[in-house]
Structure formats: C-alpha cells, structure tokens
Amino acid sequence: MKLYRVIAAALVALGALASCKSGIEADVEKTLKGMDLDAKIGQMVQLNIDLVTDDNGLDEAKMESVFGRWKIGSILNVYKGQAQTREKTAELIAGIQEASMKYIGIPCIYGLDMIHGASYLSEGTFFPQEINIAATFDTKHAASMGSVMAYETKAALCPWIFSPVMDLGRDPRWPRLWESFGEDAYLQSVMAVAETKAIQEEGVATCLKHYMAYGAPFTGKDRTPAILTEQDMREKYFRPFKECIEAGALSVMVNSASINGVPTHANKTLLTGWLKEGLHWDGLIVTDWADVNNLFTREHVAADRKEALALAINAGIDMVMDPYDTLCCADLKAAVEEKLIPMSRIDDAVRRVLRLKYRLGLFDNPVWDVDGFDKYASEEFAAVAKLAALESEVLLKNEGVLPIKKGARILVTGPCANYMRSLNGGWSYTWQGSSDAAYVDRFNTIYEALSAKFGKDKVRYVPGVEFDEAFWQAEKNINIAAAAAAARQVDVVVACLGENSYCETPGNIDDLNLSSNQKELLKAVAASGKPVVLVLNEGRPRIIGDVEPLAKAVVDVMLPGNYGADALADLLSGDANFCGKLPFTYPKHVNSLHTYDYKVSEQVGVMVGEYNYDAVMDVQWPFGTGLSYTSFEYSDLKCNKDSFKSADVLDFEITVKNVGEVAGKEAVLLYSSDLVASLVPDVRRLRAFSKVDLQPGESAVVKLSVPAEELAFVGQDGKWHLEKGAFRFAAGKCSLTLNCTETTIR
Ligand code: BGC
C-alpha cells in the first residue's frame, strides 16, 4: 500500500469534473501533442493482466515491455482468472500504475467485469444478477447494486467496470439472457440508467455493453449473426444505450457478433453514426475480447490483422481489447503508415482514451488511499443485496401449498438444493462461476437456509440429481429412487431444479428443455402424492411445460446471488411476501419463443377443418406474471387527457387496493397498444411502472406518466411516426382508449 499512501487522495467525483470540461479538453490536447505515433497506438490497446504478471504477482520484465516498449494504455481482468482480495487487487493495480507513470507518464486505466456487485473480489458483496433486479420492477435495487459495486471496486483501486449489461434478453436460447434486465426495452433502459448513474456518482466509469443487439442471435447461439429490422434496432436495442449515454455513461463495449451481415466492430453506421455523431457523444468505444482478430479469423471480412484493425478503427473503435499479445501494435502502426487509417481518426481515438482518464482524475491521482472504505463487504451492504434478492424471486403458481407451515417435514431435492454456484450464476468469483468453494462457505444454500428457518430436524436433503463440477451441462450421482422414497416420509417436497452456472459461448445449448434427469426427478417425487414446490434456479427459462402440472407451487428464483437462499426461506415460510414479476416471457414449447411485445399478427388463432393450422400464443407464463400471498384490485384508471398530440404528457392514475389478508408490494405496469398503424404494431408495450407497498385493506392512487412521443414507432422511412388514431392503455384488468388527433413524423 506504500505508493497510494504517498499519493493518497480521494478519487475526484465525476460530477465535479463535468463542470471543468474545457479544462479537461485543454489537458487532453496538451498531452496528445506530446505523444508520438507509438505512444498513441499504445494508448489504444488493452491487454489482459497475464501479460504483466506471473505466478508471483507483477513481473517487472513484462511491465517494462508492456509499458516501456509498447506504452499500453489499459489492462483488464482478474489476476489468475479468479477473485482476489481487495488488498491483492489494489496492490496489483498500484504496481501497474506506478509502472505506467514511470514508463509512459500517462496513467493506465484498469477495467474489471463487475456484473452483479463486486463479483471479482473474494469478499465482495454479490447482488442478484441483472435479470433478478429487473424482476423487482423497482429501480432502487439497480441503483443500490450500482453504488455498492462501484464503492467496493473503488476500494480495490479499480476505476472502470464493464457494466451495466443492456443486451435485452429476448431469446431464451441465448446463454447471456440473465446478464441483462429482461426482454423489454423500457424496463432495460430505466434500470440501466439507474445503475449507470449510481456507479458514476461513486467516481467509477461504466462501460455499457454490448453495443448493440448482441442478445438477438438468429440461431440462439452466442456470438452468431443477428438478422434484425431497423425498427427493432432503433426502437428497442438502441434505446438503453441512448438513454444511458444521455445520463452520462463514459464508455461502451461492442457486440461481438454481426447484425444483418455487418460485424458490429466494423459497423461505422452504428459506431460513429448512431452513437458518436447521433448522440454527440465524446466517450470511449472499446472492443470486446479479441474482436478485432475475430474480424479476420471468424467473420472473414478482413484478410489479416492489419486490414481488420483498419476496418474497426475507421468504423469508430477507440480501444482494442487484444488480450493475448501486443501483435496489434505493429500492425496498427503499419496501417497508419500505409494510410489505411487517417491520423485524424487515431487522434480522435486517443483523445477519447485520455479524456476518460482525465475525467476519472487518474492523471492527478493514479492511485488513492484504500485504507478506509469501512463499508466494504459490510452487513449493511449484505442487507441491501438480500432485500434485492427477496424482491426479485417470482411466485408463478400457488395451489394452496405456500407458505409452508412451521413444523412441516420437508424434503429438499434437486441439483440446485445444496449448491451455491447455481444461485450466483456466471461472473461470480470466476468467469464461469465455477471454483467457488474457497469463498462461499459463509453463505447458505437453499437446503441450509430452509434448515435454519424450519429446523434441522425437519428438513432432509436427498439430491436425486447433482451437477457435475467439470462440465456445467453434465449431471451425476443420479438416484431418483432415493429422492422418491424420501418424499414419502415428509409433508412437502421442495424440488430445486434448473441450471448449473455458465457464461457466454460455453453456455450454448441444443435443447431449451430442462434436463430429462431433472424432469424425471420431479415426476418421481410428485408420484409420492406429497405436494411439490418447484423452485426454478436458472439463468434462462428452461422448458417445463410437460411437468409443470405436477407442481402445486412454482417459484422462479432465477440467479438471486449469495443471499438468495435466505431470501427464499423467508418467502417460502411466509415471513416475507413475494413481489417479483417476470421480466421475460416464460415459454411453454420449444418452437414457440415469443416476447410479450409480439407483432399482433403472430397471434392469428386457430382455423378448424381442412385448413386447420394455428398460430396461438401459448406461453407458460406471460411477461409480468408474479403472484403474492395477498391480492390486489385495480380500479379507476384515468388520464388527464381525452385525446392527445405528440407534445403532450399523459398523466395516468389508477387505484390499487390490497384486498387480501397480509401486507404486500405490487408493481403496477402500464401498457399501451397502438390499435391501427402503418406498420404492423406490437400487441402492447410497457410504458411505465411503479411499485406500491400496501397493508391489508389499504389502497393507493398510483400515478404513471407517459410522454406521448414515446408512443411513436420507427416507420419504413426510418423516421419516428406518431400516427392519428386510437391507443389503448391498460394496467391490470383496467383499460381506457385515447385518441391521438395528429400525425407527427420526426
Ligand atoms: C465478454 C465481455 C467481457 C469481456 C472482458 C468478453 O468475453 O463478452 O462481456 O466484458 O470478455 O472480460
């Protein structure tokens, strides 16, 4: 800690920096003027920490090469590929900064993948994954996750995190669905904006990812091509990026795959056109992992690295994450010397790198005092993370079995029953969320949390099926008969089924069905005649249509994190009430994967007779489903306008009453439907939501505002159209229709 005791100073808050923008620009220009081409190129490159370390920590010879010879501007990733203490992380970053200042005179910017809390620090506070945060329908949880993860990251001397993820989880086959805030563009946007602001208020830079439409691969497999309409891109996939950039986001990481045949890393229209010029944005664009190389090795749009670099940098890339080696430096220099990349583009890219470093105060304080940070990994942070988990777990079905009565004898079974990996998912201690054994002893699995809640003597654990540590899709120790026998001895069975942890391309699957072993386990325990509570612990909705009727209750806990099992025990016992709602559509059939905002003509109904065919919306649970131990009645939906034009703001009110016996929170979701439009309209779109907390018998008037221009769609001409005609608004079972009296095109 020597260096940063000496240089000790607090990281300057970004808000304060914003007010001296012109000062920063002058500093950027001055620094740029002093740099030769080699120095400029080095600042545009980001390497993996392996290139400056060995088994014993920082390697001086490697640092001399990386910073002295190549003048590299950024390092990423966790040392040895697994979580480190904050002290170790700070020590490494301090040493890197010292070398960067000594050899280049420019601070390094270090980046870490903190996705759901400080998930690469061994003691860090883990929140539920973003998919769960979305299920809370309360932006306060996105904000608290952002603040805590930034505070703890800063406590480890790291100024930059690759978060929030905003890919829109619209295809359940895609292995990264759980990393973002669900399938809806509005929900994704408001959650990501709350997280972005919270992170940056702590003085840490966000990196929005993965720009854009990464979540829409045609095949469902990670990093494969997307085929998308311009309407969907502009209305849905672009929106969260636009809103986070307008909220001050400082950097963006790019989608690894291609859209409509153009690899996003080579897409000048999207990178320079939409993002930089369209939003007048002066932030930094970094590639994803080795994605310049992928332009020639995988995408075949360039013959070699030099051509790939020229394509990407000319499209708008500012920093090349080339984690494995420094080869790109020489190729980038050759590309500039051969005039494949204009010097003006290099200067613009370097300005963006320097600007980010100045904005973070790194030139004045490359390191800061990390001795304080008393709230790091505190009980206070744990309580906030647990509350987020509690409000995110979704009750999908309850035929009188929940809450489980105190004194009941319980069998806990299934591969997720006594397993922390499945609660956390990927990006937890390691990339794949594997090898967590050294860190998770202090947290409860579902079995442990239920034992603590209901009494050790009442709760029995017989796995039936276990996950194989070696390969996430493999299962072992199959003994379904033992679980079935145990089921006959208890009053209620809690079957914890789902997925082992995974992440990115290794998480690809060939069948969206829940594994057959697990379905067999559910059938066997249900055959005991004892009521079964099915707990789904999974990163994406695995299909259970054939076995779901066997469960008397279903709870989807998704990936609730280290405190998720304690939250579940509170919920299953009735000590707390459910209030989460599904932020995605849970499919029922493998060939019917829909989103809630499907085109009206995706649902054409059934024709009988000779021409019998159908296109029926038959999903397991719609977006927004979420039950409670109480019931809410909606009435009196009103709007301040009878009709409207584009500039109006529609202020809605609706009365919500708790008509049940226990207190509960209800997320009120307001949807709009454009009844007739010049392009086939979406059946409905979420426009606003708000959560209320009501005692039994209590009611509240919930206010929800929708700027009328939000109701516009992107027409064939690429412009935003708000067309004359009827719009229906609905919340719960209440609805009203308003007329738009004027067509506006912008
Ligand atoms: C992932 C990114 C991540 C990056 C750096 C990539 O493989 O797609 O989400 O930020 O690695 O670790």
Side-chain angles (χ1 to χ4, degrees):
M1 302 247 165
K2 196 177 76 210
L3 179 68
Y4 33 108
R5 283 228 178 93
V6 176
I7 310 180
L11 189 62
V12 184
L14 292 165
L17 284 171
S19 59
C20 56
K21 193 169 175 210
S22 57
I24 285 180
E25 290 310 307
D27 289 340
V28 167
E29 289 311 314
K30 198 167 152 216
T31 308
L32 185 71
K33 272 209 179 79
M35 295 167 76
D36 61 13
L37 182 57
D38 289 330
K40 289 178 182 176
I41 284 171
Q43 287 303 300
M44 293 173 65
V45 176
Q46 183 183 51
L47 298 177
N48 194 27
I49 188 168
D50 290 5
L51 281 113
V52 291
T53 52
D54 57 24
D55 282 351
N56 304 313
L58 291 169
D59 178 314
E60 287 304 326
K62 287 183 175 180
M63 290 213 290
E64 186 177 346
S65 166
V66 162
F67 299 115
R69 172 155 188 220
W70 298 107
K71 303 180 192 322
I72 297 300
S74 180
I75 303 286
L76 85 153
N77 215 354
V78 65
Y79 179 52
K80 293 187 175 172
Q82 62 177 41
Q84 302 292 330
T85 62
R86 83 171 176 110
E87 289 80 9
K88 181 71 188 170
T89 308
E91 181 191 312
L92 292 166
I93 297 177
I96 285 170
Q97 287 296 31
E98 195 169 21
S100 185
M101 294 311 282
K102 172 172 140 193
Y103 290 114
I104 320 177
I106 294 176
C108 179
I109 180 162
Y110 200 97
L112 276 173
D113 284 291
M114 301 301 200
I115 302 297
H116 62 118
S119 50
Y120 266 179
L121 295 176
S122 48
E123 316 294 326
T125 305
F126 285 24
F127 278 70
Q129 297 282 357
E130 279 187 18
I131 194 69
N132 286 69
I133 300 285
T136 68
F137 281 89
D138 188 343
T139 54
K140 103 174 164 229
H141 295 298
S144 56
M145 178 165 87
S147 310
V148 170
M149 80 162 76
Y151 178 97
E152 294 194 342
T153 304
K154 220 167 74 177
L157 213 52
C158 178
W160 192 23
I161 52 185
F162 305 134
S163 219
V165 190
M166 39 215 312
D167 295 319
L168 295 190
R170 292 172 72 77
D171 186 332
R173 298 169 304 166
W174 187 51
R176 304 190 75 170
L177 174 134
W178 48 273
E179 287 185 51
S180 47
F181 294 108
E183 73 183 33
D184 175 59
Y186 172 73
L187 177 60
Q188 171 73 66
S189 299
V190 293
M191 289 290 183
V193 165
E195 187 182 333
T196 295
K197 286 184 175 163
I199 292 171
Q200 296 202 165
E201 270 160 24
E202 291 289 331
V204 170
T206 53
C207 188
L208 315 178
K209 65 188 194 182
H210 306 79
Y211 181 73
M212 60 179 276
Y214 179 34
F218 178 71
T219 63
K221 301 270 169 86
D222 189 39
R223 288 175 158 81
T224 59
I227 300 161
L228 282 175
T229 63
E230 189 177 341
Q231 283 77 25
D232 267 356
M233 284 169 67
R234 304 255 318 268
E235 285 177 31
K236 293 174 186 166
Y237 293 98
F238 186 53
R239 178 174 183 164
F241 291 94
K242 174 175 180 293
E243 294 192 4
C244 285
I245 280 171
E246 286 167 355
L250 293 174
S251 70
V252 162
M253 188 186 292
V254 178
N255 165 11
S256 282
S258 65
I259 305 170
N260 300 335
V262 186
T264 321
H265 284 78
N267 195 327
K268 189 168 182 182
T269 307
L270 291 187
L271 301 182
T272 301
W274 290 25
L275 202 57
K276 290 182 173 173
E277 293 173 359
L279 299 179
H280 308 289
W281 183 60
D282 61 7
L284 170 109
I285 301 184
V286 60
T287 71
D288 199 344
W289 190 269
D291 272 328
V292 167
N293 291 348
N294 286 331
L295 291 178
F296 66 97
T297 57
R298 189 186 67 204
E299 304 291 342
H300 296 218
V301 295
D304 54 25
R305 184 180 293 104
K306 189 170 63 182
E307 241 183 76
L309 281 161
L311 255 182
I313 307 289
N314 287 331
I317 295 294
D318 304 310
M319 183 182 276
V320 180
M321 186 193 291
D322 197 347
Y324 303 116
D325 50 51
T326 49
L327 290 177
C328 74
C329 295
D331 282 326
L332 188 45
K333 188 168 182 186
V336 177
E337 286 170 348
E338 290 168 32
K339 307 228 173 319
L340 298 176
I341 306 171
M343 203 55 212
S344 55
R345 179 69 270 275
I346 297 290
D347 283 346
D348 174 55
V350 177
R351 276 191 192 99
R352 289 169 187 268
V353 176
L354 297 175
R355 191 178 288 128
L356 178 59
K357 294 181 177 184
Y358 273 111
R359 282 178 167 164
L360 287 165
L362 293 175
F363 278 85
D364 291 333
N365 303 301
V367 292
W368 51 91
D369 189 355
V370 292
D371 279 350
F373 292 96
D374 296 338
K375 290 191 191 171
Y376 178 80
S378 60
E379 289 295 315
E380 180 188 330
F381 283 178
V384 178
K386 183 183 168 193
L387 182 64
L390 191 121
E391 299 208 351
S392 74
E393 298 181 355
V394 184
L395 178 62
L396 293 167
K397 174 179 181 180
N398 187 14
E399 291 175 350
V401 56
L402 295 179
I404 299 172
K405 292 188 184 55
K406 302 269 159 67
R409 291 168 307 157
I410 302 169
L411 169 69
V412 190
T413 187
C416 306
N418 196 23
Y419 199 60
M420 290 307 298
R421 259 182 78 172
S422 52
L423 291 174
N424 277 318
W427 298 116
S428 303
Y429 304 111
T430 60
W431 175 47
Q432 293 292 316
S434 51
S435 323
D436 62 356
Y439 317 104
V440 294
D441 248 11
R442 62 202 173 103
F443 303 108
N444 284 327
T445 63
I446 296 176
Y447 163 57
E448 290 163 347
L450 290 181
S451 299
K453 179 68 72 179
F454 290 92
K456 274 201 167 95
D457 55 326
K458 298 286 177 203
V459 181
R460 194 162 165 220
Y461 166 57
V462 180
V465 177
E466 287 178 64
F467 289 133
D468 196 327
E469 285 288 313
F471 173 51
W472 79 269
Q473 289 194 50
E475 292 166 346
K476 63 176 187 185
N477 298 341
I478 316 294
N479 192 346
I480 291 172
R488 291 192 281 275
Q489 312 301 317
V490 297
D491 302 310
V492 57
V493 178
V494 177
C496 305
L497 310 185
E499 297 183 317
N500 200 349
S501 69
Y502 56 83
C503 182
E504 296 191 43
T505 312
N508 282 345
I509 48 173
D510 289 321
D511 186 350
L512 192 57
N513 273 291
L514 186 68
S515 81
S516 51
N517 285 331
Q518 296 191 58
K519 286 190 177 181
E520 288 309 316
L521 174 63
L522 185 67
K523 286 181 197 162
V525 291
S528 69
K530 301 300 167 64
V532 178
V533 178
L534 170 57
V535 173
L536 295 165
N537 176 194
E538 53 190 16
R540 57 191 143 191
R542 300 299 292 258
I543 287 179
I544 50 164
D546 49 340
V547 290
E548 178 274 332
L550 302 174
K552 291 274 178 246
V554 182
V555 178
D556 193 349
V557 301
M558 297 168 280
L559 303 175
N562 278 332
Y563 308 98
D566 298 327
L568 181 68
D570 288 352
L571 291 163
L572 294 185
S573 64
D575 288 348
N577 198 352
F578 286 93
C579 63
K581 291 191 170 181
L582 279 185
F584 52 80
T585 306
Y586 204 116
K588 193 168 181 180
H589 311 284
V590 281
N591 285 0
S592 300
L593 304 179
H594 302 279
T595 50
Y596 86 96
D597 52 352
Y598 59 84
K599 295 288 172 199
V600 286
S601 41
E602 276 176 59
Q603 157 81 311
V604 295
V606 180
M607 280 182 67
V608 285
E610 197 180 342
Y611 301 104
N612 184 3
Y613 65 89
D614 64 57
V616 180
M617 212 42 64
D618 185 22
V619 301
Q620 191 75 55
W621 291 288
F623 175 91
T625 303
L627 305 172
S628 159
Y629 291 139
T630 188
S631 316
F632 298 95
E633 215 171 69
Y634 288 42
S635 60
D636 290 332
L637 175 63
K638 290 187 215 144
C639 181
N640 62 335
K641 308 254 175 224
D642 297 329
S643 60
F644 64 89
K645 293 182 182 164
S646 164
D648 290 330
V649 174
L650 306 178
D651 290 324
F652 294 90
E653 283 185 5
I654 184 156
T655 304
V656 180
K657 183 170 184 191
N658 181 345
V659 293
E661 311 275 288
V662 292
K665 290 186 182 175
E666 170 74 344
V668 180
L669 314 187
L670 179 72
Y671 296 95
S672 74
S673 302
D674 188 349
L675 298 184
V676 178
S678 56
L679 286 185
V680 181
D682 293 345
V683 69
R684 60 189 182 137
R685 293 286 292 275
L686 182 68
R687 297 301 182 188
F689 60 84
S690 178
K691 207 161 184 176
V692 277
D693 189 358
L694 296 171
Q695 294 301 313
E698 193 186 0
S699 60
V701 176
V702 177
K703 295 178 193 291
L704 297 157
S705 279
V706 183
E709 61 177 23
E710 289 267 304
L711 306 171
F713 61 90
V714 174
Q716 263 180 308
D717 54 3
K719 295 190 172 153
W720 288 91
H721 290 235
L722 178 65
E723 293 177 348
K724 266 190 190 173
F727 284 77
R728 191 172 53 236
F729 296 87
K733 288 193 178 121
C734 298
S735 68
L736 57 81
T737 302
L738 300 176
N739 221 26
C740 175
T741 55
E742 187 180 84
T743 293
T744 320
I745 300 173
R746 62 189 157 90

